Amino acid sequence: MADATPSAGPDFTLHRDERHRLVLTDAQGRRHVDVEPVRCFPVSFPDQWIAICDEQGHELACIQHLGQLDPELRRTLEEELAGHEFVPVVQRIVQIREESDCSCWELETDRGPVSFQTNDENVVRRLNGRRAMLMDKSGIRYLIPDTAALDRASRRLLEQYL
Amino acid sequence: MPPITNQTRALEPVDQQSIEGQLAAGEYVVARLVTDLDLQLRYARQEVVLTNQRLLAQGAVGSGEGGGAWRSWRLAEIADLRARDRAGLGRLELVNTGGELTQWRYTVAVSAAAHDLARRFRDLRNGTYVNAEEADEEEQETWATNGDARPKAWSLLRITRFARPCTNLIILGVVLSLASTALSLVPPYLTIPLMDKVLIPYQNRVEEVEKSTQQDAAAREGQLRELRDQDGASRLATVAWYLTGLLAAAVGAWVLAWGQGAVMAWVSERISANLRNETYGHLLRLSLEYFSGRRTGDLIARISSDTDRICSYLSDTLMDFGADVLMIVGTAVILFSINPTLAAVTLCPLPLIIWLVYLVRARLQTGFQRGGRRWGEMTSVLADSIPGIRVVKAFAQERREMDRFRMTNNRVVEANDRVNTVWTFFWPMVALMNQVGLLVVWAFGAWRVIDLQITVGVLAGFLAYIGRFYVRVEAMSRMFSLTERAAASAQRLMEVLDQQPRVTEPAQPAPVGRVEGHIELRRVSFRYHSRPVLDNVELDIRPGEMIGLVGPSGAGKTTLINLVCRFYDVSEGAIHVDGTDIRDFPLDGYRRNIGVVLQEPFLFYGTIAENIAYGRPDASLEAIMEAARAARAHDFILRLPDGYDSMVGERGQSLSGGERQRISIARALLIDPRILILDEATSSVDTETEREIQLALENLIQGRTTIAIAHRLSTLRRADRLVVLERGQIVEVGPHDDLLQRGGTYARLYRAQLEMNRARAAEAARTP
């Protein structure tokens, strides 16, 4: 079989080659060029279970926790993950306009102000703890790390959708 | 003990002794049937008894012919005895060795007993009869539920059970409501002295002054001014006191009514939530058989709108009812204490109203029930067409679905119209009665005042009371229709709650841990509403063996796996796992050993991780991923934008059939069952997906006792033994190669399947 269960321990090395591609060398010494780290549980447990996949999307290795890794490797991985991910963190909800068939959200995020439309009635997804996530029409997600930490006006706006 | 079927108890046939008298020494009853039709298909009872030596039959009772004479055949004289059903009508046929035919006819109601008798006859003749007492529970249940028709209003009383946790608050509500009502009775009482002792004497004195002082206008003016300044001022102070009392009573009644309203709203919200939980919980415990006979929408309507109706009834209406009764009784008492004759006249329209209420009661009752039923039908149409929207659109049947909905919707309107005409007529009628009542009081009162029997104040007080009184009577009559409506809802809920699960927990459950996986089907028969589906199936499945079920559709394959899962209980025979009858295991303990992968994998709305962990919510992330890897689902899950956190199911990320299949395989793998039930999809998928699913199944089947309804050739080849079912019976058993060589049913089915695959492959090759 092509993929035996990948081991969770760091029995592989990861580095960038001269062309800045991520290269994984497994326990048998095989080199896999241009691999990509993928969070298995990006929403609920973003720092646990990071799979390293090859170009075809087959899993080569899986890291149980980012914290287990040596700082060098961890930095490389986080850098790479950050390059793939775009999840603005919501700092303030400016306003929500209800239209007949969609709602229009205006947000301030850590990546700057943004406004989007959505026609999904379940625009807000409650996650574990007090985390919540918004998703717009195009599938971009906006994270609210702590609903209680939002200012009063934002909380009141959000309340209607929770 | 000779076994006696329950039929005798149920139909109370010919008395016991006449049969006993027929039996010879050493002869005992094996089966007994009381047919319910004669040969002309008219209702009549006729007894057929099978003993270990003979078949006895008594001439028809009730049809006038024959009555009571016994005929008998020795077993050796009987060439064939068989029961056959068709469209609700059955016939038991006996052919004797001389080729002579005797028949008995019956309806579905007793067909189970007829089949039972015929089977026991075969057993006796083949020497396989075991003298075991097996109560036919199915019959027992149908008969038990028949006699259970409680009056409707009781249903509403039965919801008091759900009010128990809130008893204290309810008492508080009642006390508040009583106090508020009592307070609202005070104001009219205060108006009597206000008139008779304050206003009218004053007016009288004014008139006296006007009469006694005939002289000049100026002196009269002066005297009147004096009266106003002295007597008037002091009286005004008294009026102020009375008015303060009136205001205090009104404010007090308002505060108390507010408190009562708040308490009751809180309580009724709890009660109806409780009711919803209880009903849904009970519904979940009911066996599949119940659901297959119901419409989803109707069940949803019962749990959602019926409970809501009861909730609003409890909070808005029921509390008022107590207050109204108190008000009416209190008013009556006060009226009688003031002036009995006037009181009697005042209350005379009341019996008329009560009679009216009685008259419309029955109409409202049936009307609201009809409305409720039709509402359920309407939601059923929605619950039917919305999940099937793809089919609707694909066949461009939106208009037809709209028509179907409009039709049921019209039926709702029509049902409501009918009941609406009743109560819309009724309320104004009550209002009219009130007006008439008021006129009567005015007329009678005026006469009494003129006759110097009562004072104007008393009459005014009466009129004030009577106004309130009839407002309450009117409210009560309105409430009355609401009560009927709520009772209809309660009835619909109770119907669910009264339903006993057909698949029951054993009284003394056998311990079940992790089973070995040895499954024995011992002479298993299953009838679905008297329609035989499985007949005398014998099968012994070794632990870890893989069985492929093959056969044309309707052969009983699905029924067989449903029986093994214990979604239904066998009609006859038994299923043993590791030597214990599965009916002796606690249900959840037993089912925990079973993993099921269905044809149409169902995903709940939630994340992929939650869906995989459905059977084991506490599973670790690692275990979930491990199961997904083994099910060949891990890689495609990682390709989704949210990985294992992707939302799937209704409104979620859409997955392909093959992907859903693999998630459901992961779900089964995660609970690591000893017994695996596999209902393979008939639909073909592309070869790559097919390969992935095949690999996933390989991992799943490994080391588990597997029963698979097999369609894929690879599954057929992989199975240790194939069981070919036809019309509810096993016709062939054996490994793939053996059965192919035998050239029987299986070989035929296999070749057909092969043909189809080739045709599909050719098709696929043609289309780019």
Side-chain angles (χ1 to χ4, degrees):
Chain A
M1 255 187 275
D3 54 346
T5 308
S7 49
D11 55 352
F12 58 86
T13 59
L14 210 54
H15 70 278
R16 290 193 187 282
D17 67 3
E18 65 289 351
R19 289 168 57 192
H20 226 70
R21 295 174 303 190
L22 207 55
V23 178
L24 178 138
T25 314
D26 64 19
Q28 285 81 42
R30 274 194 300 259
R31 273 166 54 90
H32 301 270
V33 183
D34 217 3
V35 295
E36 186 189 341
V38 179
R39 295 190 208 267
C40 293
F41 301 89
V43 179
S44 50
F45 302 95
D47 291 344
Q48 291 182 40
W49 298 111
I50 315 290
I52 315 280
C53 297
D54 67 11
E55 277 172 300
Q56 281 78 44
H58 290 305
E59 182 185 45
L60 298 169
C62 203
I63 299 154
Q64 187 175 359
H65 203 291
L66 276 178
Q68 298 174 331
L69 301 177
D70 65 80
E72 176 71 18
L73 187 53
R74 179 173 180 169
R75 208 169 34 249
T76 315
L77 270 181
E78 279 179 336
E79 205 179 276
E80 189 69 22
L81 283 168
H84 289 294
E85 283 164 354
F86 182 74
V87 183
V89 176
V90 178
Q91 290 162 334
R92 191 164 84 88
I93 300 173
V94 183
Q95 70 163 349
I96 305 170
R97 268 201 324 279
E98 274 292 349
E99 275 152 41
S100 63
D101 60 339
C102 64
S103 55
C104 189
W105 293 61
E106 225 172 277
L107 307 174
E108 271 171 25
T109 70
D110 61 339
R111 304 192 190 212
V114 66
S115 73
F116 65 84
Q117 283 193 343
T118 176
N119 53 2
D120 186 358
E121 51 197 281
N122 303 93
V123 52
V124 184
R125 198 173 133 196
R126 201 187 259 286
L127 307 175
N128 44 357
R130 288 186 301 207
R131 281 156 24 100
M133 192 164 254
L134 310 177
M135 183 143 90
D136 71 10
K137 235 175 189 167
S138 55
I140 294 175
R141 295 179 298 281
Y142 307 85
L143 182 71
I144 302 173
D146 184 353
T147 48
L150 286 174
D151 62 291
R152 218 174 129 75
S154 302
R155 272 209 312 275
R156 194 169 292 171
L157 285 170
L158 191 65
E159 207 97 291
Q160 307 164 28
Y161 292 86
L162 277 173
Chain B
M1 265 296 289
I4 293 172
T5 62
N6 294 301
Q7 218 53 50
T8 48
R9 256 173 284 157
L11 284 175
E12 295 168 34
V14 199
D15 62 313
Q16 200 78 19
Q17 283 175 348
S18 63
I19 302 155
E20 304 296 318
Q22 299 289 321
L23 300 184
E27 188 177 13
Y28 57 85
V29 176
V30 168
R32 177 181 286 173
L33 161 74
V34 181
T35 65
D36 50 359
L37 295 174
D38 65 12
L39 289 176
Q40 283 76 46
L41 303 183
R42 295 156 61 88
Y43 287 109
R45 290 208 303 260
Q46 199 166 0
E47 177 134 22
V48 182
V49 180
L50 179 70
T51 73
N52 58 338
Q53 297 169 8
R54 292 180 297 167
L55 184 91
L56 295 125
Q58 197 182 30
V61 177
S63 64
E65 60 189 69
W70 286 92
R71 296 173 66 190
S72 84
W73 295 261
R74 278 183 293 110
L75 290 188
E77 289 176 335
I78 304 172
D80 195 11
L81 181 70
R82 55 175 186 259
R84 288 195 301 192
D85 290 358
R86 202 179 156 76
L89 206 57
R91 82 173 75 214
L92 183 70
E93 294 174 338
L94 181 149
V95 182
N96 70 6
T97 40
E100 199 182 328
L101 175 76
T102 314
Q103 289 189 47
W104 294 269
R105 306 297 304 263
Y106 52 86
T107 68
V108 273
V110 296
S111 86
H115 283 278
D116 183 61
L117 186 125
R119 188 170 30 251
R120 287 180 195 221
F121 166 76
R122 281 197 300 276
D123 290 346
L124 276 175
R125 208 178 38 187
N126 301 339
T128 54
Y129 177 71
V130 267
N131 194 351
E133 190 146 357
E134 281 169 339
D136 208 327
E137 283 170 30
E138 203 180 347
E139 254 66 41
Q140 221 165 11
E141 269 187 63
T142 31
W143 290 105
T145 46
N146 271 354
D148 193 38
R150 284 198 191 80
K152 313 270 184 304
W154 282 109
S155 320
L156 211 47
L157 277 181
R158 287 177 61 202
I159 57 176
T160 49
R161 162 157 79 97
F162 301 95
R164 216 159 284 154
C166 310
T167 315
N168 290 340
L169 276 167
I170 291 174
I171 292 171
L172 176 66
V174 170
V175 169
L176 284 174
S177 140
L178 295 189
S180 147
T181 312
L183 260 184
S184 67
L185 282 172
V186 172
Y189 207 80
L190 289 178
T191 57
I192 298 178
L194 182 62
M195 280 203 155
D196 285 351
K197 302 233 166 69
V198 184
L199 296 179
I200 294 173
Y202 178 73
Q203 198 171 11
N204 290 348
R205 285 190 62 184
V206 171
E207 276 162 22
E208 265 168 44
V209 169
E210 283 175 344
K211 266 181 249 149
S212 61
T213 50
Q214 294 292 330
Q215 62 275 66
D216 63 313
R220 204 167 58 205
E221 268 310 275
Q223 255 179 330
L224 278 177
R225 197 174 302 126
E226 200 180 324
L227 186 69
R228 190 181 68 199
D229 291 348
Q230 290 167 8
D231 190 27
S234 74
R235 278 175 199 275
L236 219 53
T238 326
V239 168
W241 271 113
Y242 277 118
L243 289 185
T244 313
L246 284 170
L247 184 69
V251 170
W254 164 66
V255 170
L256 289 172
W258 176 36
Q260 173 243 325
V263 167
M264 281 325 285
W266 197 91
V267 167
S268 65
E269 205 62 58
R270 276 9 167 237
I271 292 178
S272 71
N274 204 342
L275 203 57
R276 276 194 291 274
N277 283 340
E278 194 85 359
T279 316
Y280 183 56
H282 189 81
L283 197 63
L284 286 180
R285 275 197 299 279
L286 291 177
S287 34
L288 270 188
E289 192 170 0
Y290 181 77
F291 291 90
S292 64
R294 300 299 137 141
R295 290 166 153 234
T296 315
D298 184 56
L299 292 178
I300 293 172
R302 283 178 202 226
I303 292 173
S304 56
S305 65
D306 283 327
T307 51
D308 189 53
R309 200 163 279 162
I310 290 173
C311 170
S312 63
Y313 170 73
L314 291 179
S315 62
D316 300 345
T317 327
L318 193 59
M319 243 322 109
D320 291 344
F321 182 79
D324 288 347
V325 169
L326 182 84
M327 186 77 162
I328 287 168
V329 172
T331 314
V333 168
I334 291 170
L335 291 182
F336 273 99
S337 72
I338 299 172
N339 188 314
T341 25
L342 189 55
V345 171
T346 308
L347 298 184
C348 77
L350 196 60
L352 208 63
I353 291 172
I354 292 172
W355 176 73
L356 259 178
V357 164
Y358 179 77
L359 210 65
V360 294
R361 212 183 87 105
R363 279 160 165 258
L364 284 179
Q365 207 172 62
T366 51
F368 286 130
Q369 262 176 341
R370 195 188 305 122
R373 249 194 327 271
R374 297 212 174 152
W375 187 269
E377 281 169 24
M378 189 185 74
T379 25
S380 291
V381 171
L382 291 180
D384 200 30
S385 58
I386 293 174
I389 191 70
R390 283 159 55 97
V391 183
V392 174
K393 286 198 175 295
F395 287 87
Q397 293 298 316
E398 289 95 337
R399 187 181 297 249
R400 189 175 67 190
E401 286 303 325
M402 188 60 232
D403 287 343
R404 200 153 75 100
F405 181 74
R406 191 174 289 132
M407 216 167 69
T408 51
N409 202 1
N410 285 345
R411 282 164 59 78
V412 171
V413 171
E414 187 236 5
N416 286 346
D417 276 349
R418 276 162 76 171
V419 69
N420 288 348
T421 43
V422 177
W423 61 254
T424 47
F425 165 79
F426 177 66
W427 289 347
M429 190 69 190
V430 172
L432 176 70
M433 292 286 164
N434 295 346
Q435 288 304 314
V436 171
L438 217 55
L439 284 180
V440 170
V441 175
W442 267 112
F444 189 77
W447 172 57
R448 297 308 277 171
V449 169
I450 288 164
D451 220 21
L452 301 179
Q453 295 297 315
I454 59 169
T455 62
V456 177
V458 169
L459 177 60
F462 257 75
L463 287 169
Y465 272 118
I466 201 87
R468 275 150 205 268
F469 182 76
Y470 279 113
V471 164
R472 290 301 180 123
V473 170
E474 200 181 323
M476 255 181 100
S477 63
R478 263 169 214 270
M479 183 162 39
F480 174 74
S481 67
L482 291 175
T483 304
E484 288 302 340
R485 193 185 283 246
S489 285
Q491 167 93 354
R492 280 161 53 78
L493 283 178
M494 289 306 157
E495 254 169 49
V496 175
L497 286 172
D498 285 344
Q499 203 70 37
Q500 289 307 314
R502 285 290 177 88
V503 173
T504 51
E505 292 282 354
Q508 272 132 15
V512 55
R514 202 166 152 71
V515 302
E516 210 31 52
H518 180 209
I519 307 173
E520 293 160 274
L521 280 77
R522 300 188 180 165
R523 307 158 58 74
V524 167
S525 294
F526 181 74
R527 279 185 303 271
Y528 187 75
H529 301 310
S530 88
R531 187 169 63 88
V533 184
L534 283 182
D535 186 21
N536 222 354
V537 170
E538 285 262 6
L539 192 61
D540 192 320
I541 306 171
R542 296 186 309 275
E545 192 181 5
M546 180 184 177
I547 294 288
L549 289 177
V550 192
S553 64
K557 298 177 303 232
T558 309
T559 306
L560 198 139
I561 62 173
N562 281 344
L563 290 176
V564 172
C565 292
R566 226 189 143 208
F567 291 151
Y568 300 94
D569 272 339
V570 295
S571 305
E572 265 138 65
I575 297 176
H576 287 235
V577 166
D578 293 1
T580 311
D581 191 322
I582 58 172
R583 282 172 293 193
D584 293 337
F585 287 133
L587 267 175
D588 60 341
Y590 173 63
R591 293 215 181 111
R592 208 159 287 152
N593 281 293
I594 299 180
V596 179
V597 177
L598 293 177
Q599 246 182 24
E600 287 295 323
F602 189 85
L603 299 186
F604 293 95
Y605 179 69
T607 65
I608 287 188
E610 284 161 0
N611 265 289
I612 292 176
Y614 191 72
R616 231 182 84 192
D618 58 340
S620 68
L621 300 182
E622 194 170 12
I624 292 171
M625 286 166 58
E626 209 49 58
R629 284 199 189 101
R632 314 283 298 185
H634 186 62
D635 285 349
F636 89 76
I637 293 171
L638 288 188
R639 278 194 286 270
L640 297 172
D642 278 335
Y644 281 85
D645 287 328
S646 305
M647 299 299 277
V648 291
E650 197 174 37
R651 315 196 301 273
Q653 184 98 32
S654 55
L655 299 178
S656 76
E659 288 168 341
R660 285 209 302 274
Q661 192 82 45
R662 278 176 282 167
I663 287 180
S664 89
I665 291 173
R667 191 190 272 169
L669 267 166
L670 187 62
I671 62 168
D672 190 17
R674 290 305 303 154
I675 298 170
L676 183 72
I677 304 291
L678 199 62
D679 192 352
E680 266 190 350
T682 39
S683 59
S684 64
V685 285
D686 60 280
T687 35
E688 175 61 21
T689 312
E690 171 81 33
R691 202 182 66 91
E692 290 284 312
I693 292 177
Q694 225 37 255
L695 288 170
L697 285 179
E698 201 70 35
N699 286 337
L700 181 58
I701 290 162
Q702 207 60 253
R704 301 177 217 278
T705 309
T706 304
I707 303 179
I709 296 185
H711 297 293
R712 297 204 177 86
L713 299 181
S714 51
T715 318
L716 293 175
R717 288 199 204 100
R718 196 198 175 287
D720 297 312
R721 273 190 300 164
L722 294 168
V723 172
V724 185
L725 280 172
E726 234 176 5
R727 284 189 291 278
Q729 283 171 324
I730 295 180
V731 289
E732 284 171 21
V733 182
H736 173 75
D737 295 331
D738 288 9
L739 290 184
L740 265 193
Q741 269 171 14
R742 203 182 294 176
T745 315
Y746 177 70
R748 210 177 62 237
L749 285 169
Y750 179 77
R751 274 196 296 274
Q753 182 75 29
L754 215 57
E755 273 312 300
M756 205 161 72
N757 277 21
R758 284 213 191 96
R760 270 203 205 119
E763 179 99 6
R766 268 203 303 279
T767 48

